[in-house]
Amino acid sequence: MRYWTKPIRIELDKEKVSLAKEFAKAVAVTTNYSDSNQTNRAKIEKDHFISKLGEEAVYQAYKLFTDEISVPDYTIYAGDNKSWDSDIIADGLRIAVKAQAVTAAERYGLSWTFQSSEKRTDPILKQPDNWVCFVECDDLHEYMCKIFPPVQIKALKFSEPVLEHLKGKKKVVYAKENF
């Protein structure tokens, strides 16, 4: 279900940004990404923050077209109880959200990563008919988000990450190859 075919820009209000910051701070201490060689707590916190901003932006984008939409989940799940549910459900359609900060895009190219290793794989990679929305969050101009039209996993071109130590652990969707 594609209500839009070109990127939509959404500016997030300060209340949503503050809520996302609080969530990121709280969830970062419950997260273990050592299997991805990620132990930098500040980076983990920022990743969760940008991710939650992406969910808020996708929620607001869908609200332009429908009232049948779930709100972003701010529950903190402990350990193995972490939720792998879809980030947003709109008109009964389950949608994953992937977000990247502008500052990261400047370093690595506008792209979004999926975990793909023997130890941990994003479940959506095994669900080719599922949908995903990609978001670019401008962390330099707090916080304008660019939401790309939803796309099915099977329509995406996946590539290897730029960083050598992430190869074999992540799959990457580069904007220049997909949009």
Side-chain angles (χ1 to χ4, degrees), residues 24 26-34 38 41 44 48 77 79 82:
V27 79
V29 297
T30 72
T31 306
N32 180 357
Y33 291 149
S34 58
Q38 185 53 262
R41 186 70 58 205
I44 292 169
H48 281 290
Y77 299 93
K82 293 201 181 293

Side-chain angles (χ1 to χ4, degrees), residues 4-32:
W4 66 97
T5 57
K6 294 186 187 312
I8 294 175
R9 293 194 181 275
I10 299 281
E11 184 172 3
L12 297 174
D13 64 44
K14 291 181 194 289
E15 180 184 315
K16 296 299 182 190
V17 172
S18 179
L19 193 60
K21 278 183 184 173
E22 289 174 29
F23 171 80
K25 209 174 273 189
V27 79
V29 297
T30 72
T31 306
N32 180 357

Side-chain angles (χ1 to χ4, degrees), residues 89-154:
I89 300 173
D91 290 333
L93 187 69
R94 304 176 80 71
I95 304 154
V97 176
K98 290 288 186 176
Q100 185 186 40
V102 164
T103 52
E106 288 173 347
R107 293 179 70 192
Y108 308 111
L110 183 55
S111 58
W112 302 271
T113 60
F114 292 80
Q115 186 68 31
S116 181
S117 69
E118 288 182 18
K119 292 184 180 181
R120 189 163 41 100
T121 298
D122 280 329
I124 196 167
L125 293 178
K126 297 175 183 170
Q127 302 161 341
D129 291 329
N130 281 19
W131 292 83
V132 62
C133 266
F134 295 102
V135 182
E136 178 183 31
C137 292
D138 193 343
D139 54 333
L140 298 172
H141 300 98
E142 305 178 351
Y143 278 93
M144 181 64 72
C145 294
K146 180 178 177 183
I147 303 94
F148 290 82
V151 62
Q152 286 182 293
I153 292 295
K154 65 185 174 190

Side-chain angles (χ1 to χ4, degrees), residues 28-115:
V29 297
T30 72
T31 306
N32 180 357
Y33 291 149
S34 58
D35 62 330
S36 303
N37 296 328
Q38 185 53 262
T39 57
N40 180 330
R41 186 70 58 205
K43 178 168 180 349
I44 292 169
E45 187 174 316
K46 183 169 184 181
D47 287 349
H48 281 290
F49 173 59
I50 295 298
S51 178
K52 195 55 72 177
L53 293 180
E55 289 178 38
E56 287 289 353
V58 169
Y59 170 79
Q60 288 185 31
Y62 268 98
K63 284 294 284 181
L64 297 172
F65 304 98
T66 183
D67 289 328
E68 295 294 320
I69 182 162
S70 64
V71 296
D73 183 6
Y74 281 86
T75 306
I76 309 244
Y77 299 93
D80 291 339
N81 295 322
K82 293 201 181 293
S83 173
W84 290 103
D85 287 344
S86 299
D87 297 308
I88 298 288
I89 300 173
D91 290 333
L93 187 69
R94 304 176 80 71
I95 304 154
V97 176
K98 290 288 186 176
Q100 185 186 40
V102 164
T103 52
E106 288 173 347
R107 293 179 70 192
Y108 308 111
L110 183 55
S111 58
W112 302 271
T113 60
F114 292 80
Q115 186 68 31

